[in-house]
Amino acid sequence: MLEIRNLSKRFGPLTAVDDFTLTIPGGEIMGFVGPNGAGKTTTMRMIAGLIEPDEGSIHVDGINAVEDAPAVRRVLGYMPDFFGLYDDLKVWEYLDFFAAAYRIPRKDRGLLVDQVLELTDLTVKKDAFVESLSRGMKQRLCLAKTLVHDPKLLLLDEPASGLDPRARIELRTLLKELQSMGKTILISSHILSELSDICSHVVIIEKGRLLLAGPIKETLKNMTLQTRWMIELLDGSEAGVEVLKRFASLEVREAAHGKIVFDNLAVPDNSHEVLKALVDAGVGVRQYKQVEAGVEGLFLQVTKGEVA
């Protein structure tokens, strides 16, 4: 569905994207991960035809995006990280406007608007003014606008930004539904734990260069990751954290409500010593198990926190 070859983009002395190559199979959800300033948004804007690359090629559904940008826009939907809305329009008017911009015949637009409103759970807000919508509803409206011409490929740049937990859960459910409809989705996000839940593939970029790309499960099997563990205690977490601090090889990631998640960097594994120290200190242990590092673990493993 998307094939990028040797893509580069420079802004004066800054190389924002550097010899970037990527292929996304049809029907997959790919998480696009990288530090701030890594080149994610610039790459998405080049795919969408908003910025011309200095070098390289982009093909979307077999169409050359550089040579025939109008044709690509008919099969591609782009939701930017910062988007503008026309506050003085009603929700249905906003969607009808963009349907007209995509040259969808007037006789078809009413049914089409109703369909995307139902898909994004905005039907009850059909006649509301855009300015009256909550942040989460505005996000859904922007996504509805992105879907109005039934694109095959979706580029979603930080779609969960600023959403509360319930809205993020609803967004994840919607993305899964879009995938079941045959959509291919490239999604960037800083909420790495959520990408593990919805993405089948991951691509990690830093300083404009590709570091890693592939199916998440296969990549996790093939990489040597930090060993992550979870301890569930009978009481609070504080006593357990104090014991873990005695080990230089341990790095606590989370500690709350009687659960501690930590990375164990010891080689060979010293988990039996850690468990013994907890028991000797009188810390009641309900559960002690290894957990999968997921996308966050991959990100920490392959990046250095550098920007272009």
Side-chain angles (χ1 to χ4, degrees):
M1 179 55 63
L2 175 63
E3 188 173 10
I4 300 172
R5 291 285 178 266
N6 307 115
L7 193 67
S8 294
K9 181 63 182 179
R10 291 174 290 275
F11 297 98
L14 173 66
T15 300
V17 179
D18 188 4
D19 197 27
F20 184 82
T21 295
L22 176 68
T23 299
I24 301 182
E28 303 292 349
I29 301 180
M30 177 168 278
F32 197 18
V33 180
N36 290 330
K40 302 186 298 297
T41 295
T42 299
T43 300
M44 284 187 163
R45 288 176 178 172
M46 285 191 284
I47 298 170
L50 301 177
I51 301 176
E52 288 191 7
D54 295 321
E55 298 169 8
S57 64
I58 305 170
H59 287 82
V60 178
D61 197 26
I63 305 168
N64 190 314
V66 178
E67 296 178 357
D68 195 356
V72 165
R73 292 189 185 111
R74 288 193 286 270
V75 298
L76 178 149
Y78 174 51
M79 181 176 173
D81 50 349
F82 297 102
F83 51 86
L85 296 170
Y86 303 131
D87 288 343
D88 56 347
L89 291 181
K90 292 184 178 180
V91 166
W92 76 265
E93 292 174 327
Y94 177 80
L95 295 176
D96 183 78
F97 171 81
F98 280 97
Y102 280 107
R103 299 185 179 180
I104 295 171
R106 182 184 296 273
K107 63 182 179 64
D108 299 327
R109 296 204 296 262
L111 177 60
L112 182 63
V113 166
D114 286 342
Q115 288 174 339
V116 294
L117 285 173
E118 182 177 357
L119 180 62
T120 54
D121 199 24
L122 283 173
T123 301
V124 296
K125 294 295 183 179
K126 179 178 179 177
D127 293 310
F129 284 96
V130 172
E131 65 179 351
S132 70
L133 301 182
S134 67
R135 170 67 188 238
M137 288 182 178
K138 287 180 178 179
Q139 291 278 80
R140 277 190 272 164
L141 179 59
C142 188
L143 182 56
K145 179 267 297 180
T146 305
L147 296 169
V148 77
H149 60 299
D150 193 24
K152 296 180 179 180
L153 173 66
L154 298 175
L155 307 178
L156 309 180
D157 196 357
E158 297 287 348
S161 175
L163 298 184
D164 62 39
R166 176 176 292 276
R168 291 203 301 269
I169 292 171
E170 292 171 349
L171 178 63
R172 291 203 304 269
T173 302
L174 177 56
L175 293 179
K176 282 294 188 180
E177 184 175 353
L178 291 171
Q179 183 187 28
S180 71
M181 295 167 60
K183 308 294 185 187
T184 304
I185 304 173
L186 179 64
I187 175 173
S188 74
S189 177
H190 287 101
I191 309 172
L192 303 185
S193 59
E194 295 192 349
L195 291 181
S196 296
D197 295 335
I198 61 173
C199 295
S200 55
H201 291 61
V202 64
V203 53
I204 299 178
I205 183 175
E206 187 171 42
K207 295 186 69 175
R209 293 190 293 270
L210 178 69
L211 300 183
L212 178 149
I216 291 177
K217 291 183 179 179
E218 180 180 319
T219 304
L220 285 170
K221 288 180 181 178
N222 293 337
M223 291 193 67
T224 303
L225 292 173
Q226 298 173 349
T227 304
R228 184 155 295 182
W229 296 81
M230 188 276 288
I231 305 174
E232 185 177 354
L233 305 176
L234 295 176
D235 299 309
S237 310
E238 295 80 5
V241 170
E242 291 303 315
V243 173
L244 297 187
K245 286 180 179 179
R246 304 174 191 172
F247 294 83
S249 61
L250 306 186
E251 184 174 348
V252 175
R253 293 290 180 182
E254 301 174 28
H257 309 298
K259 291 185 179 180
I260 305 174
V261 177
F262 64 96
D263 291 331
N264 190 344
L265 310 181
V267 179
D269 180 66
N270 64 345
S271 295
H272 63 289
E273 297 176 9
V274 177
L275 184 56
K276 183 177 184 301
L278 288 166
V279 174
D280 289 346
V283 178
V285 178
R286 185 190 305 275
Q287 187 175 201
Y288 187 105
K289 67 176 183 178
Q290 188 173 354
V291 295
E292 186 179 271
V295 173
E296 184 182 43
L298 287 174
F299 178 77
L300 294 173
Q301 181 81 359
V302 304
T303 62
K304 300 178 180 179
E306 300 175 344
V307 297

